[in-house]
Amino acid sequence: MKKTNASILIIDDQEDILFASKVYLKKYFENIYTLNNPKNIVELLAKNTIDVVLLDMNYRIGFEDGREGLYLLKEIKTLSPKTVVILMTAFGKVETAVEGLKSGAFDYILKPWENKKLLESVKQAVDKSRKDQKKIKSPEIVDDFFIGNSEIIKKAYSLADKVAKTDANVLILGENGTGKFVLAHHIFSQSERKNQPFINVDLGALNSNIFESELFGYAKGAFTDAKTDTPGRFEMAQNGTIFLDEIGNVPLHLQSKLLQVIQTKTVTRLGETKPRPLNVRIITATNLNLKLEVADKNFREDLYYRINTMEIILPPLRERIEDKIPLAEYLLEKISEKYGRSQITFDKKVLEQIEKHAWNGNIREMENKIERAIILCENNKITVSDLDLEQITEYENLDDIQLSSVEKATVEKALLKHNNNISKTAEELGLSRGSLYRRLEKYNISTN
């Protein structure tokens, strides 16, 4: 039997599952890798080209809601966009797996699986990976994305292009959904480090208990589960760029550790005493006003100035009136292609709604609404009801309303919608739980 020349990575904390799946799939595919510790994903993806990942959704006892799997899915898709991910989940957890499909997973299989079903799913995933790779014309070509024609956004990208050629640390400020990650990657792609690693770290999603081990790495035996020497994200970005998103959410007691790494340009793994030299370009981002956070003693002033050699502010979509319709048309074309429905167009009344709508969730909200509309629309025409904007047009005239009033009302609406469920509210608003709690305190909003 001729094997398919493909590389498959299986990630699961159960050794029997790793062994069984490896033995079976080895009959059909050339390269099979296994990991029992998801923390090593970054290192393995940096060293190997992986076509398909089989990803378990739960790793720690007591945390079996699949959130770890969804976080790891996001990491994989960021580090290796052409890698196709299949989720593995136990019966009864299908709802979370479906959420994973919406976040970019190709398929899911239930454990224990049928071998034929497993093989068929992996074969289809390999085919998709091959097709995706053909679409990548050249490693030098950056994925197309929408910038816009408004002066305010052109000014931001002009500044980004200037600073990209340097090694200066960059702080990107902007509301959730304004495209901070896209801008960070654009800076990286225009820099002299573009052929080196680009490591994205969502600091808002990192539990403080694993902050140091994730960022700085650890030595074997440093703690109970430290079975091998493991580099952290900073080391993974060596000679490249590290993007620290949601830096405003880092607790004060950990900010000093981050500051030391930036100041000394070295990193010391947990369990070691000898610092390792770093050659890394640092880009950070936050949706918070760090000057106010510094004034309120929530953020270290010395860290603020270390990360803020150059500051770039991304404007909210409501300040980019002339970009709304062109952006919507760009997203329509992009998402329609994803679903194989390239003939879809907007009804004329929809374009009027798009222009009037405040878009408090910015580009992320628009992308979500348009994707939903593409799925729902009939006769290849998106109507006003498909886009579902009728109930969110209260803040069309923002000149007389303070931004804080809009934000408070948005949070209150989301809480009401989800019956004060913090996790679901934070997810809809694109915030971490910590960021949401800070807003509840800021606006004196009760969840009782």
Side-chain angles (χ1 to χ4, degrees):
M1 180 187 300
K2 187 177 180 180
K3 296 182 181 181
T4 300
N5 184 19
S7 296
I8 315 298
L9 170 60
I10 309 160
I11 309 171
D12 200 297
D13 56 350
Q14 297 182 47
E15 292 292 344
D16 56 337
I17 288 179
L18 292 178
F19 178 77
S21 54
K22 180 175 182 178
V23 169
Y24 178 67
L25 293 175
K26 189 66 178 174
K27 301 175 185 176
Y28 305 97
F29 304 99
E30 286 289 346
N31 304 304
I32 307 295
Y33 301 89
T34 61
L35 279 181
N36 63 4
N37 185 349
K39 292 180 180 179
N40 297 327
I41 290 177
V42 176
E43 182 178 18
L44 193 144
L45 288 177
K47 294 180 178 178
N48 303 277
T49 298
I50 302 297
D51 297 293
V52 177
V53 172
L54 286 166
L55 177 66
D56 187 35
M57 300 195 69
N58 299 292
Y59 295 89
R60 291 180 295 166
I61 296 174
F63 295 86
E64 299 174 351
D65 57 0
R67 309 314 299 179
E68 280 184 293
L70 294 176
Y71 174 78
L72 294 169
L73 168 63
K74 180 181 177 182
E75 288 279 284
I76 293 168
K77 298 305 289 183
T78 298
L79 291 166
S80 181
K82 66 180 179 296
T83 297
V84 179
V85 180
I86 299 172
L87 301 174
M88 298 188 292
T89 186
F91 182 78
K93 303 292 183 181
V94 174
E95 184 176 339
T96 308
V98 172
E99 186 177 346
L101 296 181
K102 295 178 181 178
S103 300
F106 173 71
D107 195 6
Y108 70 89
I109 58 174
L110 298 177
K111 296 195 293 186
W113 60 74
E114 296 179 7
N115 281 343
K116 287 185 178 180
K117 164 63 180 171
L118 173 66
L119 179 60
E120 185 61 29
S121 184
V122 174
K123 282 182 175 179
Q124 291 177 6
V126 169
D127 288 342
K128 184 179 189 307
S129 179
R130 293 286 187 265
K131 291 177 182 177
D132 289 347
Q133 289 179 48
K134 288 180 181 178
K135 292 179 182 178
I136 301 175
K137 299 178 183 178
S138 164
E140 287 76 31
I141 296 177
V142 181
D143 286 341
D144 179 43
F145 64 96
F146 180 88
I147 295 177
N149 293 312
S150 60
E151 288 302 317
I152 193 168
I153 193 65
K154 287 197 291 186
K155 181 179 179 181
Y157 270 86
S158 174
L159 187 56
D161 288 339
K162 290 177 182 177
V163 76
K165 305 303 180 184
T166 74
D167 264 348
N169 292 339
V170 180
L171 171 63
I172 302 174
L173 300 175
E175 296 177 8
N176 284 307
T178 50
K180 296 189 288 294
F181 172 84
V182 173
L183 180 61
H185 196 273
H186 176 74
I187 293 171
F188 160 73
S189 67
Q190 302 300 310
S191 75
E192 297 298 324
R193 297 174 182 261
K194 63 183 178 182
N195 295 319
Q196 300 298 327
F198 177 81
I199 302 299
N200 172 42
V201 186
D202 183 356
L203 297 178
L206 273 187
N207 187 296
S208 59
N209 294 331
I210 62 171
F211 182 90
E212 291 182 75
S213 61
E214 285 287 324
L215 288 183
F216 312 142
Y218 53 85
K220 181 180 179 180
F223 47 87
T224 304
D225 293 329
K227 298 177 181 177
T228 59
D229 291 339
T230 303
R233 301 304 176 88
F234 272 98
E235 283 185 76
M236 294 295 177
Q238 187 72 288
N239 299 319
T241 301
I242 189 167
F243 175 49
L244 303 175
D245 199 4
E246 298 290 357
I247 194 167
N249 291 332
V250 177
L252 267 174
H253 71 284
L254 294 174
Q255 291 177 25
S256 60
K257 298 180 183 296
L258 192 56
L259 175 64
Q260 184 178 14
V261 171
I262 297 173
Q263 281 181 327
T264 64
K265 296 183 179 179
T266 63
V267 63
T268 304
R269 294 181 182 180
L270 289 178
E272 293 184 348
T273 56
K274 184 179 179 181
R276 298 166 182 261
L278 280 179
N279 176 17
V280 175
R281 204 267 181 84
I282 299 171
I283 303 177
T284 56
T286 181
N287 61 343
L288 299 179
N289 185 328
L290 286 190
K291 288 183 180 178
L292 291 180
E293 295 296 310
V294 169
D296 292 340
K297 308 298 182 184
N298 294 323
F299 199 85
R300 291 181 63 114
E301 186 174 19
D302 45 6
L303 177 58
Y304 171 69
Y305 287 114
R306 280 288 178 181
I307 63 176
N308 190 16
T309 305
M310 181 64 70
E311 179 179 288
I312 302 177
I313 300 175
L314 278 177
L317 197 49
R318 61 182 169 274
E319 294 179 8
R320 300 170 55 189
I321 307 299
E322 60 267 56
D323 288 337
K324 287 183 179 181
I325 291 178
L327 174 60
E329 290 173 337
Y330 165 80
L331 291 173
L332 176 65
E333 181 180 353
K334 175 184 171 184
I335 301 169
S336 295
E337 183 179 345
K338 169 184 171 182
Y339 286 100
R341 300 186 65 184
S342 58
Q343 304 302 314
I344 295 179
T345 59
F346 287 122
D347 182 82
K348 185 178 179 180
K349 291 182 179 179
V350 169
L351 295 177
E352 295 174 3
Q353 286 277 330
I354 288 172
E355 195 166 43
K356 290 180 180 179
H357 189 57
W359 298 110
N360 296 319
N362 296 298
I363 300 171
R364 187 177 300 150
E365 179 191 356
M366 182 181 284
E367 187 170 21
N368 179 273
K369 290 287 186 182
I370 290 176
E371 182 165 13
R372 177 182 180 277
I374 289 171
I375 295 171
L376 293 177
C377 79
E378 299 177 355
N379 301 319
N380 290 329
K381 180 77 72 173
I382 292 178
T383 65
V384 171
S385 61
D386 292 329
L387 204 60
D388 189 31
L389 295 184
E390 299 96 331
Q391 303 302 315
I392 320 177
T393 55
E394 298 170 36
Y395 300 109
E396 292 172 14
N397 183 10
L398 291 170
D399 294 337
D400 302 324
I401 303 175
Q402 290 185 353
L403 177 58
S404 59
S405 300
V406 178
E407 185 174 51
K408 179 181 179 182
T410 303
V411 172
E412 288 176 333
K413 278 188 175 183
L415 279 168
L416 182 63
K417 177 180 177 181
H418 295 292
N419 296 318
N420 290 335
N421 184 298
I422 295 296
S423 296
K424 291 182 179 179
T425 301
E427 184 176 354
E428 172 163 323
L429 295 173
L431 300 172
S432 67
R433 287 171 61 92
S435 295
L436 177 56
Y437 278 123
R438 278 196 287 275
R439 282 162 174 76
L440 297 180
E441 183 178 359
K442 176 181 178 181
Y443 298 121
N444 195 28
I445 299 174
S446 174
T447 57
N448 296 328

